[in-house]
Amino acid sequence: MLRLPQHTLDKIKKLLLLRQREVEEQLKEIEKDDPLTLDAPIESSESGTDSWQAEVHGRLVSLKTDLLDLSKKIKVSLSNLSKGTYGKCESCGKDIETARLEAMPTATLCLSCSKKSKK
Ligand SMILES: [Zn+2]
């Protein structure tokens, strides 16, 4: 059974849905801003115009990767919420600190495991 009170779960769910919408908006913005097609490989070019395009493109691609990663985490958290498995540490299986979840609803590791996993 989940130890988190329902109002906390509701709050977290709202936060996750909000984040998800933001991420989707940002992804759309990125598609618009990118001078090159996003999934096209960056080809090195001699010309100066192409190099700034490639630079902007590279920045947007890494931003997009981060956003997609976040979006995946949000989806996992939401599905865990509906399954009732939300808030468990993926590494040690203990409950993740409530304050941590409220601050970072996509957290899948408890505080001590996340410290350990940092290089
Ligand atoms: Zn843990």
Side-chain angles (χ1 to χ4, degrees):
M1 269 309 285
L2 206 62
R3 96 227 111 94
L4 289 167
Q6 192 59 43
H7 66 92
T8 306
L9 291 173
D10 288 345
K11 191 170 132 192
I12 287 169
K13 189 171 180 181
K14 242 178 254 171
L15 271 171
L16 285 167
L17 290 171
L18 194 71
R19 285 304 288 281
Q20 197 175 36
R21 224 172 306 150
E22 281 172 8
V23 167
E24 273 161 20
E25 286 299 309
Q26 277 173 289
L27 283 169
K28 264 183 238 161
E29 286 298 308
I30 288 174
E31 310 265 346
K32 266 190 275 169
D33 290 348
D34 197 341
L36 301 172
T37 325
L38 265 171
D39 297 310
I42 302 167
E43 284 165 41
S44 55
S45 169
E46 316 278 307
S47 129
T49 350
D50 283 359
S51 92
W52 83 254
Q53 283 192 330
E55 198 194 307
V56 173
H57 176 72
R59 240 194 336 247
L60 290 172
V61 166
S62 85
L63 195 63
K64 191 188 175 188
T65 310
D66 287 351
L67 286 171
L68 287 175
D69 190 50
L70 183 61
S71 153
K72 226 181 289 168
K73 283 186 189 160
I74 292 171
K75 279 184 192 133
V76 169
S77 300
L78 283 169
S79 109
N80 286 344
L81 265 176
S82 64
K83 282 188 292 190
T85 52
Y86 180 78
K88 292 265 182 228
C89 173
E90 274 185 351
S91 176
C92 68
K94 282 184 198 149
D95 292 333
I96 300 173
E97 297 79 3
T98 308
R100 178 171 164 74
L101 289 173
E102 283 177 341
M104 201 191 352
T106 53
T108 52
L109 291 173
C110 71
L111 197 57
S112 62
C113 289
S114 94
K115 273 184 190 154
K116 266 184 267 169
S117 75
K118 280 210 184 98
K119 284 155 216 162

